[in-house]
Amino acid sequence: MAQDMLLGNEEPSNNKETFLQQFCLLAKNATGDALLDVIKQVLDAPNVFVFGELLAEPNVAELKDGPDAKYYNTLNLFAYGTYKQFRAQQQEYIELTPAMQKKLQHLTIVSLAIKSKSIPYAVLLNELEIDNVRHLEDIIIEAIYADIIHGKLFQNTRILEVDYAQGRDIPPGYTGKIVETLQAWVNSCDGVSNCIDMQINYANAEKAKRLYNKERIEQELINLKKVLKSQASDSDESMQIDTHGPGTSGTSGMSQSEVRKKPTKMKNPRSSAVGLKFSK
């Protein structure tokens, strides 16, 4: 049985960017513990799933090489990383609340959905380090209602089919790879376009050739009909000449009616026979 989790009829949240901008404004004028508190709040906020603008704030970037580098690392993890990375190096990050951990799991699902539109449960269980399918489905449903992915849960085949996934922050230096990917796509499109043009030119040439052959054959048929008609006309004239022209030898000077003679009547042989008498 498939459990349809499409949320096409629900209005997506339009306040995500507004929430992030509010945190960015707070971070601009914050220092010390106040700045660390802003970072905790943004990591815990249920409606914020992108963090690039906050990472770009100068006073936040200064945390990278200071005693509070864990806050910067954690913010960087939520922007670009996954839950499995957090579990592998927990000492590099601050202690996450249950809400933060669940949010990082949701972001991990987004990363997987961007790479593949069909995600097996086995992959999700491994990446999220969950050993309970029901717990996994609850987390996926929460991500869907958070409007960061849209999709369907197929419980019989244990697959998440993704229809939509929200984008995540682009890591620094990654724009070059994006440009290369887009350029490769453009080159591929150009190749396809050139191939289509070649096929069009070939089709047009074949069409012109067929039209030429058709016109040539039609003209030959017209010429052949003219020749046949001319020959038929000459044959009729020849027959008329043979019929109405001079007769053969022996009938010279005689009309056709004269040539035809009435059949002569044979005399009765009895009338010309010599009468003989026989006596005994």
Side-chain angles (χ1 to χ4, degrees), residues 199-262:
Q199 293 296 327
I200 291 174
N201 293 334
Y202 174 78
N204 289 336
E206 288 295 314
K207 180 181 179 181
K209 188 186 297 184
R210 289 190 179 93
L211 288 175
Y212 171 78
N213 289 334
K214 180 182 178 182
E215 292 175 357
R216 180 177 58 82
I217 292 172
E218 289 178 349
Q219 187 61 44
E220 289 179 356
L221 288 173
I222 292 172
N223 295 337
L224 182 60
K225 288 178 180 179
K226 289 181 179 179
V227 171
L228 293 175
K229 185 176 181 181
S230 175
Q231 290 178 351
S233 177
D234 293 343
S235 177
D236 291 342
E237 291 179 358
S238 176
M239 291 178 65
Q240 290 176 1
I241 292 173
D242 290 343
T243 303
H244 301 289
T248 58
S249 59
T251 60
S252 178
M254 299 177 63
S255 66
Q256 186 176 3
S257 58
E258 292 174 341
V259 172
R260 296 176 180 174
K261 294 182 178 180
K262 294 182 180 179

Side-chain angles (χ1 to χ4, degrees), residues 104-143:
L104 186 57
Q105 289 177 323
H106 292 164
L107 291 169
T108 301
I109 295 174
V110 172
S111 295
L112 293 172
I114 292 172
K115 295 177 182 178
S116 176
K117 298 304 180 185
S118 181
I119 312 172
Y121 276 22
V123 174
L124 292 164
L125 290 169
N126 179 58
E127 289 293 328
L128 303 181
E129 297 193 4
I130 298 174
D131 56 5
N132 185 287
V133 172
R134 183 56 193 168
H135 184 200
L136 172 64
E137 291 178 342
D138 289 341
I139 291 177
I140 295 173
I141 292 170
E142 289 171 358

Side-chain angles (χ1 to χ4, degrees), residues 49-119:
F49 295 95
V50 289
F51 311 91
E53 292 183 37
L54 187 58
L55 276 169
E57 292 293 335
N59 52 346
V60 174
E62 290 175 359
L63 297 174
K64 182 178 181 180
D65 300 320
D68 297 314
K70 286 187 176 181
Y71 284 84
Y72 178 86
N73 293 340
T74 306
L75 189 60
N76 191 78
L77 174 69
F78 273 68
Y80 313 118
T82 62
Y83 185 77
K84 202 172 185 66
Q85 292 175 357
F86 164 72
R87 295 284 292 176
Q89 295 179 318
Q90 293 189 47
Q91 69 279 2
E92 298 293 329
Y93 311 106
I94 65 173
E95 184 177 354
L96 299 185
T97 64
M100 291 179 184
Q101 291 192 36
K102 187 169 290 186
K103 184 175 181 178
L104 186 57
Q105 289 177 323
H106 292 164
L107 291 169
T108 301
I109 295 174
V110 172
S111 295
L112 293 172
I114 292 172
K115 295 177 182 178
S116 176
K117 298 304 180 185
S118 181
I119 312 172

